[in-house]
Amino acid sequence: EQMTKLRESSMMAMLSHSPHEPRRLLMRGLRTSRPAEFGPLVAGIGVAVAAYSAKLLLQAAHNPKVGWERQSRAPTDEAQTSNEALRTEPTGDSAARTRKSYFTTDVMGVDLGEGAKEWSGACAAIWEADSARIVENEQGGRVTPSVIAFKDSGETLVGQPAKKLLFSRVAVAVAGHQLLLGTPRDSTDARKFAAGATQFTVGADSAGMATVQVHGVAHQPTEIAAKTLHQLKADAERSLGGRAVLSAVLAVPADATDALREAMFDTARRAGLHQLELLAAPIAGVLAAEEELPRISAASSVAVFELRGRTSALSILQRAAGGEDEGGAGWEVVSSARQQAVGGEAIDEALVAHLVERFWKAHAIDLSGDHLALHRLHEAVENAKAELCSSYSADVSLPFISADMHGPKHLELTLSRSGAEALIEPALESSMSVCAAALDGAGLSQADVDEVLLLGGATRLPAVVQLLHDSFRKAPLRLARPEEAAALGAAKYARRLQALDYGT
């Protein structure tokens, strides 16, 4: 009876407003209790602590500040208002500063990519030990495929696991959705994207902006892109030993519209970022190349050619008059031209079509409708394309790729570099059309440009290098991994912002 009264008194004291009464009761109970009674006493105190914790949680739930923070992380129809916390205040093409800086902790540089392949996916970099370092994903890769897979079971996969379901019949895989960010459904770009979509459809929301229709549900492009950005954020935090990454610099096209920029802010908000800076991708690429390529550091004008997953672009950059003061990147975009549906993945499609045709002629079997065969064909093309960058031929070996009544069939052939270049020549020639448009916009000729820099994984191909050399009459420059350049440059710019804020 004495112990019961003591436990009841302890519980009432823990729920009271006096912070000292529970301690006094506890000490009194310990002094007056026999050793055999310690167990019930501790149990009673545990119940009291649990009740007191519940009281604190209820108080926090009714706290207006906590409620605002919770609501600000949830997607709402008032995205434009919520994005004010992320918005940059542009001072030129590089969008140098922000109204309120949150670059107080670890930051990352991000390139969201445009495609599902090794050379065209998303990439993140962090600043560590006085240099930018690429973040590896959970699979150990340096580039994360920009693919989101919606399985029939309701599960959503991101990155490499989603890439494996690109041609699956048990999931709908969406790639290249970044091209729909801030894009009206009736625009030329949205129509081109919709024409190439096979597993999903492109719809429109109430405002006429493009959406992705999967399993009868309309998804905003910002919602899908945020899944990739959130994965990159998680990979960066894991690489940093669990430290939070709440700020990022994101590489965007040089000709990004206000609608695209607004969509990027919404994407960052959905991914859990508190602060976002936007930096033109060609400027990010030049920042990454300045230390590795001395010719870039000495140049006053640079033509940056980008051959990304689904687009090609050329931007003319010149040294900014203000240099790097007030957080500027030191470069400005004078002119830029970009076109869609002409990128590195168009090269893959041309090579896959060639393999499908060769197999049809040999066995009268059409592989274009076999989702398992298509997955293997695309993997083989990726490997062969990389091998042809350093050798003059590549072997394609796909045993048991199909079968008929006579038994299994195999695909075995050797793909020469000259033969592959002949197959992809139409796609490469189309990608070069942006060069004349960008030069005309800047009022310059090829001879007026000091250097040519290549960005994007597909610029590894010798045929691309040769085309740019013939066009500008000078040897183009390229980083060892051109698909990572934009993320590395964005991370370097993020570190520059930190140094300006804190002098570190």
Side-chain angles (χ1 to χ4, degrees):
E1 182 180 359
Q2 179 183 0
M3 289 299 302
T4 301
K5 292 181 179 180
L6 179 59
R7 285 197 298 269
E8 292 177 353
S9 300
S10 299
M11 292 176 63
M12 295 301 295
M14 293 292 286
L15 295 177
S16 68
H17 295 287
S18 174
H20 305 292
E21 187 64 23
R23 185 171 59 183
R24 288 198 297 268
L25 287 174
L26 174 61
M27 297 304 297
R28 187 177 64 184
L30 291 175
R31 288 195 300 268
T32 59
S33 299
R34 291 187 297 272
E37 296 174 340
F38 281 173
L41 175 62
V42 173
I45 294 174
V47 173
V49 170
Y52 185 68
S53 300
K55 176 183 178 182
L56 293 179
L57 290 175
L58 289 174
Q59 291 176 346
H62 294 287
N63 188 319
K65 181 178 180 181
V66 174
W68 180 87
E69 292 177 350
R70 181 177 62 251
Q71 294 170 7
S72 67
R73 287 163 172 76
T76 65
D77 294 334
E78 300 176 353
Q80 184 172 357
T81 302
S82 300
N83 292 341
E84 289 298 327
L86 294 164
R87 189 174 310 284
T88 60
E89 186 173 284
T91 60
D93 289 330
S94 60
R97 306 303 293 138
T98 57
R99 292 195 183 111
K100 184 177 181 181
S101 177
Y102 283 84
F103 286 81
T104 57
T105 59
D106 294 289
V107 297
M108 64 178 179
V110 178
D111 179 5
L112 279 179
E114 292 180 355
K117 303 301 177 65
E118 179 73 18
W119 289 355
S120 59
C123 193
I126 56 175
W127 189 268
E128 192 173 62
D130 297 329
S131 64
R133 177 175 66 84
I134 292 295
V135 174
E136 294 185 353
N137 55 34
E138 292 180 332
Q139 294 75 33
R142 298 169 66 90
V143 176
T144 299
S146 294
V147 188
I148 307 298
F150 299 88
K151 299 184 69 174
D152 294 345
S153 61
E155 184 182 6
T156 302
L157 302 179
V158 182
Q160 191 65 36
K163 179 184 176 181
K164 297 179 180 179
L165 299 177
L166 269 176
F167 306 98
S168 173
R169 294 176 181 173
V170 298
V172 175
V174 181
H177 45 276
Q178 292 86 346
L179 300 178
L180 296 179
L181 291 170
T183 303
R185 177 60 181 89
D186 58 357
S187 66
T188 302
D189 288 347
R191 288 198 296 268
K192 286 182 179 180
F193 184 86
T198 56
Q199 291 188 307
F200 56 91
T201 60
V202 178
D205 59 14
S206 58
M209 305 302 287
T211 60
V212 177
Q213 305 278 345
V214 179
H215 295 151
V217 179
H219 297 270
Q220 295 290 337
T222 55
E223 170 195 347
I224 303 177
K227 297 181 183 298
T228 300
L229 183 56
H230 184 270
Q231 183 62 52
L232 295 176
K233 177 177 179 292
D235 292 337
E237 292 174 340
R238 186 185 67 254
S239 179
L240 290 166
R243 299 200 302 268
V245 176
L246 302 178
S247 306
V249 173
L250 182 61
V252 297
D255 61 349
T257 62
D258 291 341
L260 174 57
R261 292 174 178 271
E262 183 71 27
M264 288 298 185
F265 293 128
D266 188 22
T267 299
R269 177 181 60 81
R270 291 172 182 265
L273 291 175
H274 291 185
Q275 187 68 19
L276 179 71
E277 296 278 355
L278 300 180
L279 181 67
I283 293 181
V286 169
L287 291 179
E290 281 180 330
E291 295 182 1
E292 186 173 334
L293 304 173
R295 285 167 52 184
I296 295 294
S297 299
S300 59
S301 62
V302 178
V304 181
F305 179 76
E306 302 174 70
L307 191 57
R308 302 169 71 82
R310 296 169 183 258
T311 60
S312 63
L314 183 78
S315 302
I316 306 299
L317 273 59
Q318 290 183 345
R319 292 282 182 183
E324 298 176 358
D325 295 338
E326 299 302 326
W331 294 87
E332 59 182 358
V333 179
V334 179
S335 176
S336 181
R338 183 168 62 110
Q339 61 176 343
Q340 190 176 317
V342 182
E345 297 201 357
I347 295 173
D348 288 29
E349 294 294 341
L351 295 176
V352 169
H354 171 69
L355 298 182
V356 170
E357 182 182 1
R358 289 281 297 270
F359 195 80
W360 168 259
K361 290 181 177 178
H363 305 288
I365 297 177
D366 185 9
L367 297 178
S368 61
D370 187 335
H371 66 283
L372 294 177
L374 283 175
H375 178 73
R376 296 182 64 189
L377 285 170
H378 277 268
E379 282 189 339
V381 162
E382 274 195 271
N383 295 331
K385 188 175 60 174
E387 188 175 348
L388 289 174
C389 291
S390 57
S391 62
Y392 291 99
S393 64
D395 294 328
V396 177
S397 177
L398 296 173
F400 303 97
I401 194 169
S402 187
D404 59 10
M405 65 179 62
H406 302 292
K409 302 299 178 183
H410 317 297
L411 178 60
E412 305 278 350
L413 59 86
T414 298
L415 190 62
S416 66
R417 180 189 289 182
S418 59
E421 289 176 351
L423 293 170
I424 66 178
E425 183 178 3
L428 293 182
E429 291 289 349
S430 298
S431 67
M432 294 294 130
S433 63
V434 296
C435 296
L439 288 169
D440 290 343
L444 302 175
S445 65
Q446 288 89 338
D448 297 325
V449 177
D450 293 336
E451 300 294 345
V452 178
L453 179 65
L454 305 180
L455 299 182
T459 59
R460 294 169 180 255
L461 296 172
V464 176
V465 177
Q466 188 61 46
L467 284 173
L468 269 297
H469 182 276
D470 294 342
S471 177
F472 286 88
R473 301 298 179 185
K474 54 175 60 72
L477 302 175
R478 185 186 63 209
L479 294 176
R481 293 188 175 96
E483 65 274 13
E484 301 173 358
L488 289 170
K492 181 179 179 180
Y493 183 67
R495 174 55 183 162
R496 184 173 298 174
L497 295 180
Q498 283 186 318
L500 287 170
D501 284 341
Y502 305 105
T504 58

